[in-house]
Tab-separated table of all heavy atoms in Angstrom:
chain	number	residue	atom	x	y	z
C	1	ALA	N	2.687	-13.011	8.576
C	1	ALA	CA	1.639	-14.031	8.695
C	1	ALA	C	1.435	-14.766	7.377
C	1	ALA	O	0.617	-15.691	7.302
C	1	ALA	CB	0.336	-13.415	9.144
C	2	LYS	N	2.162	-14.377	6.319
C	2	LYS	CA	2.066	-14.948	4.986
C	2	LYS	C	0.618	-14.918	4.451
C	2	LYS	O	0.050	-15.934	4.069
C	2	LYS	CB	2.614	-16.386	4.980
C	2	LYS	CG	4.094	-16.481	5.340
C	2	LYS	CD	4.661	-17.853	5.150
C	2	LYS	CE	4.921	-18.148	3.686
C	2	LYS	NZ	5.684	-19.417	3.516
C	3	PRO	N	0.019	-13.726	4.459
C	3	PRO	CA	-1.373	-13.631	3.991
C	3	PRO	C	-1.468	-13.729	2.475
C	3	PRO	O	-0.529	-13.495	1.736
C	3	PRO	CB	-1.765	-12.223	4.464
C	3	PRO	CG	-0.492	-11.444	4.376
C	3	PRO	CD	0.580	-12.414	4.792
C	4	ARG	N	-2.693	-14.069	2.035
C	4	ARG	CA	-2.994	-13.966	0.604
C	4	ARG	C	-3.817	-12.714	0.340
C	4	ARG	O	-3.889	-12.233	-0.804
C	4	ARG	CB	-3.766	-15.227	0.154
C	4	ARG	CG	-2.887	-16.473	0.234
C	4	ARG	CD	-3.584	-17.675	-0.361
C	4	ARG	NE	-4.789	-18.039	0.361
C	4	ARG	CZ	-4.822	-18.641	1.572
C	4	ARG	NH1	-3.695	-18.919	2.184
C	4	ARG	NH2	-5.960	-18.967	2.161
C	5	LEU	N	-4.478	-12.198	1.386
C	5	LEU	CA	-5.213	-10.945	1.290
C	5	LEU	C	-4.695	-9.984	2.358
C	5	LEU	O	-4.752	-10.326	3.563
C	5	LEU	CB	-6.713	-11.185	1.491
C	5	LEU	CG	-7.612	-9.925	1.590
C	5	LEU	CD1	-7.570	-9.124	0.289
C	5	LEU	CD2	-9.037	-10.295	1.956
C	6	LEU	N	-4.206	-8.831	1.948
C	6	LEU	CA	-3.711	-7.813	2.863
C	6	LEU	C	-4.693	-6.647	2.929
C	6	LEU	O	-5.047	-6.069	1.889
C	6	LEU	CB	-2.345	-7.287	2.416
C	6	LEU	CG	-1.642	-6.276	3.333
C	6	LEU	CD1	-1.235	-6.927	4.660
C	6	LEU	CD2	-0.459	-5.657	2.656
C	7	LEU	N	-5.193	-6.336	4.133
C	7	LEU	CA	-6.073	-5.221	4.353
C	7	LEU	C	-5.211	-4.059	4.864
C	7	LEU	O	-4.679	-4.122	5.959
C	7	LEU	CB	-7.144	-5.571	5.403
C	7	LEU	CG	-7.943	-6.846	5.141
C	7	LEU	CD1	-8.893	-7.150	6.309
C	7	LEU	CD2	-8.691	-6.814	3.827
C	8	LEU	N	-5.070	-3.018	4.065
C	8	LEU	CA	-4.135	-1.937	4.347
C	8	LEU	C	-4.908	-0.629	4.582
C	8	LEU	O	-5.541	-0.105	3.676
C	8	LEU	CB	-3.198	-1.814	3.129
C	8	LEU	CG	-1.987	-0.895	3.237
C	8	LEU	CD1	-1.156	-1.174	4.477
C	8	LEU	CD2	-1.118	-1.031	1.993
C	9	ASP	N	-4.859	-0.155	5.824
C	9	ASP	CA	-5.704	0.957	6.245
C	9	ASP	C	-4.874	2.237	6.419
C	9	ASP	O	-4.063	2.361	7.326
C	9	ASP	CB	-6.407	0.609	7.566
C	9	ASP	CG	-7.576	1.522	7.883
C	9	ASP	OD1	-7.787	2.491	7.120
C	9	ASP	OD2	-8.286	1.260	8.842
C	10	GLU	N	-5.093	3.213	5.504
C	10	GLU	CA	-4.512	4.537	5.551
C	10	GLU	C	-2.954	4.482	5.712
C	10	GLU	O	-2.407	5.085	6.645
C	10	GLU	CB	-5.087	5.368	6.698
C	10	GLU	CG	-6.586	5.594	6.585
C	10	GLU	CD	-6.971	6.616	5.520
C	10	GLU	OE1	-6.078	7.051	4.775
C	10	GLU	OE2	-8.137	6.950	5.443
C	11	PRO	N	-2.253	3.876	4.775
C	11	PRO	CA	-0.802	3.785	4.915
C	11	PRO	C	-0.074	5.116	4.793
C	11	PRO	O	1.055	5.241	5.270
C	11	PRO	CB	-0.379	2.841	3.775
C	11	PRO	CG	-1.467	2.980	2.773
C	11	PRO	CD	-2.728	3.175	3.567
C	12	SER	N	-0.718	6.109	4.187
C	12	SER	CA	-0.028	7.390	3.996
C	12	SER	C	-0.264	8.386	5.132
C	12	SER	O	0.300	9.476	5.129
C	12	SER	CB	-0.497	8.052	2.672
C	12	SER	OG	-1.786	8.594	2.820
C	13	MET	N	-1.085	7.993	6.112
C	13	MET	CA	-1.483	8.940	7.166
C	13	MET	C	-0.244	9.532	7.898
C	13	MET	O	0.562	8.789	8.475
C	13	MET	CB	-2.374	8.265	8.168
C	13	MET	CG	-2.845	9.166	9.314
C	13	MET	SD	-3.899	8.293	10.519
C	13	MET	CE	-5.363	8.076	9.538
C	14	GLY	N	-0.133	10.835	7.860
C	14	GLY	CA	0.898	11.540	8.597
C	14	GLY	C	2.301	11.427	8.018
C	14	GLY	O	3.279	11.828	8.667
C	15	LEU	N	2.435	10.933	6.775
C	15	LEU	CA	3.766	10.735	6.193
C	15	LEU	C	4.063	11.814	5.146
C	15	LEU	O	3.162	12.355	4.499
C	15	LEU	CB	3.841	9.371	5.533
C	15	LEU	CG	3.603	8.163	6.414
C	15	LEU	CD1	3.884	6.867	5.617
C	15	LEU	CD2	4.456	8.184	7.685
C	16	ALA	N	5.348	12.083	4.991
C	16	ALA	CA	5.804	13.037	3.958
C	16	ALA	C	5.549	12.414	2.589
C	16	ALA	O	5.540	11.199	2.433
C	16	ALA	CB	7.279	13.318	4.148
C	17	PRO	N	5.337	13.268	1.572
C	17	PRO	CA	5.029	12.755	0.225
C	17	PRO	C	6.065	11.730	-0.288
C	17	PRO	O	5.680	10.756	-0.949
C	17	PRO	CB	5.039	14.016	-0.633
C	17	PRO	CG	4.632	15.106	0.323
C	17	PRO	CD	5.246	14.739	1.637
C	18	MET	N	7.336	11.933	-0.009
C	18	MET	CA	8.347	10.995	-0.469
C	18	MET	C	8.143	9.624	0.143
C	18	MET	O	8.250	8.594	-0.534
C	18	MET	CB	9.751	11.503	-0.129
C	18	MET	CG	10.893	10.620	-0.676
C	18	MET	SD	12.531	11.261	-0.220
C	18	MET	CE	12.474	12.870	-1.004
C	19	LEU	N	7.775	9.571	1.410
C	19	LEU	CA	7.563	8.291	2.084
C	19	LEU	C	6.242	7.650	1.589
C	19	LEU	O	6.176	6.437	1.483
C	19	LEU	CB	7.500	8.470	3.593
C	19	LEU	CG	8.833	8.641	4.291
C	19	LEU	CD1	8.632	8.953	5.767
C	19	LEU	CD2	9.660	7.354	4.149
C	20	VAL	N	5.255	8.480	1.294
C	20	VAL	CA	4.002	7.952	0.735
C	20	VAL	C	4.271	7.217	-0.564
C	20	VAL	O	3.802	6.097	-0.788
C	20	VAL	CB	2.981	9.077	0.518
C	20	VAL	CG1	1.742	8.551	-0.228
C	20	VAL	CG2	2.570	9.699	1.837
C	21	GLU	N	5.057	7.824	-1.434
C	21	GLU	CA	5.385	7.207	-2.720
C	21	GLU	C	6.158	5.902	-2.494
C	21	GLU	O	5.932	4.894	-3.194
C	21	GLU	CB	6.195	8.132	-3.577
C	21	GLU	CG	6.577	7.597	-4.938
C	21	GLU	CD	5.387	7.116	-5.752
C	21	GLU	OE1	4.348	7.767	-5.694
C	21	GLU	OE2	5.530	6.103	-6.453
C	22	GLN	N	7.034	5.884	-1.511
C	22	GLN	CA	7.819	4.669	-1.206
C	22	GLN	C	6.892	3.543	-0.734
C	22	GLN	O	7.031	2.380	-1.175
C	22	GLN	CB	8.890	4.960	-0.152
C	22	GLN	CG	9.782	3.771	0.150
C	22	GLN	CD	10.862	4.124	1.162
C	22	GLN	OE1	11.052	5.288	1.501
C	22	GLN	NE2	11.550	3.113	1.658
C	23	ILE	N	5.943	3.879	0.129
C	23	ILE	CA	5.025	2.873	0.653
C	23	ILE	C	4.143	2.329	-0.468
C	23	ILE	O	3.954	1.101	-0.586
C	23	ILE	CB	4.158	3.454	1.777
C	23	ILE	CG1	4.986	3.838	2.993
C	23	ILE	CG2	3.032	2.490	2.162
C	23	ILE	CD1	5.589	2.677	3.714
C	24	LEU	N	3.606	3.204	-1.304
C	24	LEU	CA	2.741	2.769	-2.370
C	24	LEU	C	3.496	1.992	-3.464
C	24	LEU	O	2.966	1.088	-4.071
C	24	LEU	CB	1.998	3.952	-2.991
C	24	LEU	CG	1.001	4.612	-2.053
C	24	LEU	CD1	0.351	5.833	-2.712
C	24	LEU	CD2	-0.082	3.628	-1.612
C	25	ASP	N	4.781	2.344	-3.664
C	25	ASP	CA	5.626	1.545	-4.564
C	25	ASP	C	5.796	0.151	-4.019
C	25	ASP	O	5.830	-0.845	-4.782
C	25	ASP	CB	6.959	2.233	-4.785
C	25	ASP	CG	7.821	1.490	-5.772
C	25	ASP	OD1	7.411	1.378	-6.956
C	25	ASP	OD2	8.903	1.014	-5.394
C	26	THR	N	5.896	0.023	-2.706
C	26	THR	CA	6.002	-1.287	-2.081
C	26	THR	C	4.742	-2.090	-2.332
C	26	THR	O	4.785	-3.317	-2.591
C	26	THR	CB	6.265	-1.152	-0.591
C	26	THR	OG1	7.507	-0.463	-0.381
C	26	THR	CG2	6.353	-2.527	0.092
C	27	VAL	N	3.591	-1.416	-2.256
C	27	VAL	CA	2.297	-2.102	-2.528
C	27	VAL	C	2.304	-2.638	-3.975
C	27	VAL	O	1.858	-3.750	-4.216
C	27	VAL	CB	1.125	-1.133	-2.301
C	27	VAL	CG1	-0.200	-1.791	-2.745
C	27	VAL	CG2	1.040	-0.716	-0.844
C	28	ARG	N	2.801	-1.852	-4.907
C	28	ARG	CA	2.907	-2.325	-6.297
C	28	ARG	C	3.745	-3.579	-6.384
C	28	ARG	O	3.417	-4.552	-7.081
C	28	ARG	CB	3.491	-1.239	-7.182
C	28	ARG	CG	2.632	-0.001	-7.416
C	28	ARG	CD	3.253	0.882	-8.469
C	28	ARG	NE	2.637	2.170	-8.550
C	28	ARG	CZ	3.067	3.260	-7.920
C	28	ARG	NH1	4.160	3.213	-7.171
C	28	ARG	NH2	2.435	4.403	-8.043
C	29	ARG	N	4.892	-3.557	-5.695
C	29	ARG	CA	5.806	-4.715	-5.748
C	29	ARG	C	5.182	-5.929	-5.100
C	29	ARG	O	5.400	-7.072	-5.560
C	29	ARG	CB	7.126	-4.353	-5.066
C	29	ARG	CG	8.019	-3.430	-5.892
C	29	ARG	CD	9.370	-3.274	-5.265
C	29	ARG	NE	9.325	-2.385	-4.112
C	29	ARG	CZ	10.142	-2.472	-3.059
C	29	ARG	NH1	11.038	-3.433	-3.017
C	29	ARG	NH2	10.041	-1.610	-2.081
C	30	LEU	N	4.419	-5.732	-4.048
C	30	LEU	CA	3.760	-6.857	-3.389
C	30	LEU	C	2.726	-7.518	-4.307
C	30	LEU	O	2.557	-8.721	-4.316
C	30	LEU	CB	3.088	-6.417	-2.094
C	30	LEU	CG	4.012	-6.008	-0.975
C	30	LEU	CD1	3.287	-5.401	0.184
C	30	LEU	CD2	4.833	-7.209	-0.483
C	31	LYS	N	2.045	-6.675	-5.116
C	31	LYS	CA	1.083	-7.229	-6.054
C	31	LYS	C	1.782	-8.149	-7.066
C	31	LYS	O	1.265	-9.193	-7.448
C	31	LYS	CB	0.358	-6.109	-6.794
C	31	LYS	CG	-0.652	-6.640	-7.800
C	31	LYS	CD	-1.179	-5.582	-8.728
C	31	LYS	CE	-2.097	-6.232	-9.776
C	31	LYS	NZ	-2.589	-5.266	-10.760
C	32	GLN	N	3.002	-7.773	-7.424
C	32	GLN	CA	3.757	-8.580	-8.396
C	32	GLN	C	4.092	-9.962	-7.836
C	32	GLN	O	4.371	-10.895	-8.591
C	32	GLN	CB	5.033	-7.844	-8.828
C	32	GLN	CG	4.748	-6.586	-9.644
C	32	GLN	CD	6.005	-5.756	-9.882
C	32	GLN	OE1	7.077	-6.110	-9.442
C	32	GLN	NE2	5.838	-4.668	-10.608
C	33	THR	N	4.071	-10.105	-6.543
C	33	THR	CA	4.342	-11.413	-5.911
C	33	THR	C	3.072	-12.255	-5.831
C	33	THR	O	3.126	-13.405	-5.390
C	33	THR	CB	4.918	-11.265	-4.505
C	33	THR	OG1	3.874	-10.736	-3.614
C	33	THR	CG2	6.116	-10.328	-4.502
C	34	GLY	N	1.940	-11.698	-6.242
C	34	GLY	CA	0.664	-12.429	-6.214
C	34	GLY	C	-0.241	-12.051	-5.050
C	34	GLY	O	-1.334	-12.587	-4.927
C	35	LEU	N	0.209	-11.125	-4.213
C	35	LEU	CA	-0.583	-10.713	-3.041
C	35	LEU	C	-1.789	-9.886	-3.497
C	35	LEU	O	-1.694	-9.056	-4.389
C	35	LEU	CB	0.256	-9.901	-2.097
C	35	LEU	CG	-0.379	-9.504	-0.759
C	35	LEU	CD1	-0.660	-10.738	0.108
C	35	LEU	CD2	0.514	-8.513	-0.003
C	36	THR	N	-2.940	-10.136	-2.859
C	36	THR	CA	-4.148	-9.345	-3.108
C	36	THR	C	-4.256	-8.295	-2.027
C	36	THR	O	-4.027	-8.579	-0.852
C	36	THR	CB	-5.379	-10.263	-3.112
C	36	THR	OG1	-5.176	-11.297	-4.060
C	36	THR	CG2	-6.641	-9.523	-3.433
C	37	VAL	N	-4.635	-7.050	-2.402
C	37	VAL	CA	-4.640	-5.939	-1.447
C	37	VAL	C	-5.975	-5.203	-1.518
C	37	VAL	O	-6.435	-4.841	-2.599
C	37	VAL	CB	-3.477	-4.939	-1.722
C	37	VAL	CG1	-3.517	-3.799	-0.701
C	37	VAL	CG2	-2.136	-5.664	-1.697
C	38	LEU	N	-6.573	-4.997	-0.329
C	38	LEU	CA	-7.713	-4.109	-0.206
C	38	LEU	C	-7.232	-2.871	0.559
C	38	LEU	O	-6.856	-2.972	1.702
C	38	LEU	CB	-8.849	-4.771	0.528
C	38	LEU	CG	-10.153	-3.968	0.709
C	38	LEU	CD1	-10.723	-3.496	-0.632
C	38	LEU	CD2	-11.219	-4.794	1.449
C	39	LEU	N	-7.196	-1.732	-0.138
C	39	LEU	CA	-6.507	-0.544	0.346
C	39	LEU	C	-7.509	0.545	0.702
C	39	LEU	O	-8.334	0.963	-0.125
C	39	LEU	CB	-5.557	-0.047	-0.746
C	39	LEU	CG	-4.916	1.318	-0.582
C	39	LEU	CD1	-3.940	1.319	0.600
C	39	LEU	CD2	-4.154	1.693	-1.874
C	40	VAL	N	-7.445	1.023	1.937
C	40	VAL	CA	-8.181	2.231	2.355
C	40	VAL	C	-7.202	3.393	2.356
C	40	VAL	O	-6.141	3.317	2.970
C	40	VAL	CB	-8.788	2.039	3.749
C	40	VAL	CG1	-9.191	3.379	4.364
C	40	VAL	CG2	-10.011	1.131	3.689
C	41	GLU	N	-7.559	4.458	1.656
C	41	GLU	CA	-6.599	5.545	1.515
C	41	GLU	C	-7.378	6.850	1.185
C	41	GLU	O	-8.140	6.909	0.230
C	41	GLU	CB	-5.608	5.246	0.403
C	41	GLU	CG	-4.611	6.322	0.109
C	41	GLU	CD	-3.811	6.735	1.330
C	41	GLU	OE1	-3.058	5.900	1.874
C	41	GLU	OE2	-3.978	7.877	1.779
C	42	GLN	N	-7.160	7.895	2.027
C	42	GLN	CA	-7.796	9.180	1.779
C	42	GLN	C	-7.177	9.920	0.603
C	42	GLN	O	-7.806	10.764	-0.039
C	42	GLN	CB	-7.746	10.053	3.025
C	42	GLN	CG	-8.781	9.645	4.070
C	42	GLN	CD	-8.983	10.735	5.100
C	42	GLN	OE1	-9.336	11.883	4.780
C	42	GLN	NE2	-8.735	10.405	6.350
C	43	ASN	N	-5.907	9.638	0.330
C	43	ASN	CA	-5.233	10.245	-0.814
C	43	ASN	C	-5.731	9.514	-2.053
C	43	ASN	O	-5.139	8.542	-2.518
C	43	ASN	CB	-3.715	10.135	-0.658
C	43	ASN	CG	-2.965	10.864	-1.760
C	43	ASN	OD1	-3.489	11.073	-2.855
C	43	ASN	ND2	-1.762	11.271	-1.459
C	44	ALA	N	-6.877	9.963	-2.577
C	44	ALA	CA	-7.550	9.226	-3.649
C	44	ALA	C	-6.703	9.099	-4.910
C	44	ALA	O	-6.688	8.050	-5.543
C	44	ALA	CB	-8.883	9.913	-3.989
C	45	ARG	N	-5.991	10.174	-5.251
C	45	ARG	CA	-5.204	10.118	-6.496
C	45	ARG	C	-4.109	9.071	-6.367
C	45	ARG	O	-3.865	8.268	-7.291
C	45	ARG	CB	-4.588	11.486	-6.769
C	45	ARG	CG	-4.050	11.639	-8.187
C	45	ARG	CD	-3.488	13.035	-8.406
C	45	ARG	NE	-4.493	14.059	-8.236
C	45	ARG	CZ	-5.366	14.427	-9.167
C	45	ARG	NH1	-5.365	13.814	-10.337
C	45	ARG	NH2	-6.239	15.382	-8.917
């Protein structure tokens, strides 16, 4: 949808730790493109 604000709800839910890191690394890369992210995540750390 080419958003400027991404609302991301519990992306790590039910995923193995390796996949969680991959998803969150993608979030970091998206920020570098200028995307703004509001992230809901129970994995606080």
Side-chain angles (χ1 to χ4, degrees):
K2 298 188 76 171
R4 294 186 298 285
L5 172 63
L6 184 67
L7 308 176
L8 188 51
D9 197 354
E10 299 286 7
S12 75
M13 180 181 289
L15 301 186
M18 184 181 300
L19 283 173
V20 173
E21 180 56 37
Q22 184 178 348
I23 294 294
L24 293 178
D25 183 62
T26 300
V27 174
R28 292 188 190 95
R29 286 187 284 151
L30 290 172
K31 181 191 175 183
Q32 293 172 0
T33 70
L35 186 66
T36 304
V37 181
L38 182 57
L39 170 67
V40 163
E41 178 55 65
Q42 283 196 57
N43 186 335
R45 195 179 300 277

